[in-house]
Amino acid sequence: MGNAKLIIAALVVLIAAAVFYMIGQPPQEKETADSGALKVGFVYLTNPGDHGWTYAHEVGRQQLQDHFGDKIETSYVENVPEGPDAARVIRDLVAQGNKIIFTTSFGYMDPTLQVAGEYPDVYFDHITGYKRSANMATGNIRFYEGRYVQGVVAGLTTKSNQIGYLGAFPIPEVIQGINSFARGLRSVNPDASIKVVWVNSWYDPVKEADAAKVLIAEGADVLAQHTDSPAMLQTAEKAGVKGFGQSSDMHEFAPNAQLFSSVNNWGPYYIDQVQKVLDGSWTTGDGPDHWAGNTWKGIGDDFLVLTEFKNMPADVAAKAAAARDGIANGSLNIFEGPMQDNEGNEVLKAGQVMDDGGLWAMNYYVAGVEGKIPN
Amino acid sequence: MYEELLLTILLTSVPLILAATGELVAERSGVLNLGVEGMMLMGAVAAFGAASLSGNVYLGILGGGLSGMLVAGIFGFFVLGLATNQVATGLALTIFGTGLSGLIGAPLVGKAIDGLPALVIPGLSELPLVGVLFQLDLLAYLSVLIVVLTSWFLMRTRGGLILRSVGINHDSAHALGYPVLWVRLGAVLFGGFMAGLAGAYLPLVLTPHWAEQMTAGRGWIALALVVFASWRPWRVVIGAVLFGGVTIMQLAGQAKGWTIPSQFLSMMPYIATIIVLVAISSRGRIQFGAPAHLGKSFHATR
């Protein structure tokens, strides 16, 4: 009996502490019933301190708020798991009066679609998905463009002609990146090739570091990654090889190893979309054209920003800048024929340019990548 | 090439050895602590915090161990003091440790430190093939020493005998006058300290930064290793190196272009655990080595 009472007492104390802690937190929502400002909600996968994916969205949200000032009011919910629980969070944001809601991870696709169906007068913007409806648009960044420039720098930097590449999962977005990297690599160095190691996780620092060590042991002297932690760059720094950062600038983790990093810049997209809501010109893909309502932009529109080219000679930096500017002004097409896959089969004839549908249907490696894509 | 891979395998195994050895002692005393993952995360965040604020990685090691011990103390208070269910409390400890380490660690995200330096032993480290065994860091050498001492303590000393007897039958041990709860508390605190050290190894050696949930499930693997080792310290080392070896060879196999699917190699350690369990349990419960009162709450009878 005494024990039971103690447990209850302990639980009461814990709950009370939790409640007081939450009361003590500064409220993220302010009441603005009277101000008439447009309310904009964000759903985040992790907390903005992850220094990667969600951090980039938080920077975008702040740019949005600064751009419109008093005219809008933004708020966010962090650490929202992908799946059914996300729908509850999105409904909460609707109930709080948000008129446009950005859901910032692929896994929110179906919950967003579901809630969009329930509230036809609220605008929904889903990041990186492909499902759209009358009041749900999608936005994405051409991440692969930065990887072409990485390939150019890698091809001019490597001495062993062996590049190591960490992949999270063999999905189209990652394959696009590997192939784009290979196109850049082979454009300057026909002898260099890429070894890909799949770590089967977006985020497992120890495994990412292990994979980097293995690739270095296999002779790679430039590393690239499509996983989220700075562990690979730290390993590169320690081993004295080079590498590229992911999602945000990681030079603090690897001052001598990071060549540059491709940074996701969501601010322009958020500003565009909210401007359209304010103007009443917001559109979606609810029509004959499946791609309408989808925004997919890259370096040319500042959706993807490359950090300063460091730890490389000036002539390499100049070639990297030329590739970046060529992609930006459209004079350089990354996937323009002739292009072969890594078994020698023709994918594009000379002069033929791949369309967006072809990019999302990539299930092969182009020349320059070793091995096969796992099923 | 060979040396680099072997070194990577050994370094990957160290946190598993540390955490599993600690858990092994706790389980030998009859306490099943499923909170290893949470304790490791608390150790990791405290180690990184202490090391980056003080600039001293050795303080980081100490901070990691003590922090793991502190949360193990909370676990001990509930499980031993209030006789709560060990499985539920252990799971709660993992959830608690995951959340609290994220909260404490928020200001540490994005910082980097110089990790624990390797202590290369002159002469021995230049031996062919086995030279890499002498190019490790302080914590790695310490982990081997701890396994030796743990094995000696459990099997060769009176204290170890008492600890094991508490795990095998707490009522008999109580009747003989042994302080069951205090013995268990000691074992739980030791387990927490070791899990803290294991956690500390991640941000101090393997990946010198802090990030939420950076242990990525290694605490659960440590728990499986204790069973794999059938509660014997030396088998923990074998299991950990085997597990590390398969993990690394799975990655190296991809780089070398082996055609074995990586998913198949990824599941090898788990299959090995099941095979060992089947092999051992078919030879009877005594050989199996599970403490008979593992996971059972102790209520003192007058």
Side-chain angles (χ1 to χ4, degrees), chain A residues 3 6-7 21 47 49 195 197-198 200 203-207 209-211 213-214 217-218 230-231 234 238 252-253, chain B residues 1 4 8 12 82 103 109-112 202 205-209 211-212 214 216 218 248 251-252 254-256 262:
Chain A
N3 280 349
L6 256 178
I7 294 169
Y21 177 75
N47 83 47
K195 277 189 203 294
V197 168
W198 299 100
N200 293 320
Y203 179 80
D204 183 342
V206 174
K207 207 167 171 194
D210 284 345
K213 286 178 199 162
V214 164
E218 289 289 328
Q234 289 189 311
K238 212 169 167 184
E252 278 173 43
F253 295 102
Chain B
M1 175 66 234
E4 284 156 332
T8 307
T12 302
L82 306 178
L103 188 69
V109 172
K111 292 203 170 92
L202 272 60
V205 179
L206 296 178
T207 57
H209 69 269
E212 268 186 54
M214 69 186 302
R218 275 165 191 76
I248 300 302
L251 297 168
Q254 293 187 50
K256 288 175 192 299
S262 66

Side-chain angles (χ1 to χ4, degrees), chain B residues 39 63 67 76 90 165-166 184 210 221 275:
Chain B
M39 297 189 295
S67 157
S165 70
V166 165
R184 286 187 169 169
W210 160 255
I221 291 161
I275 291 172

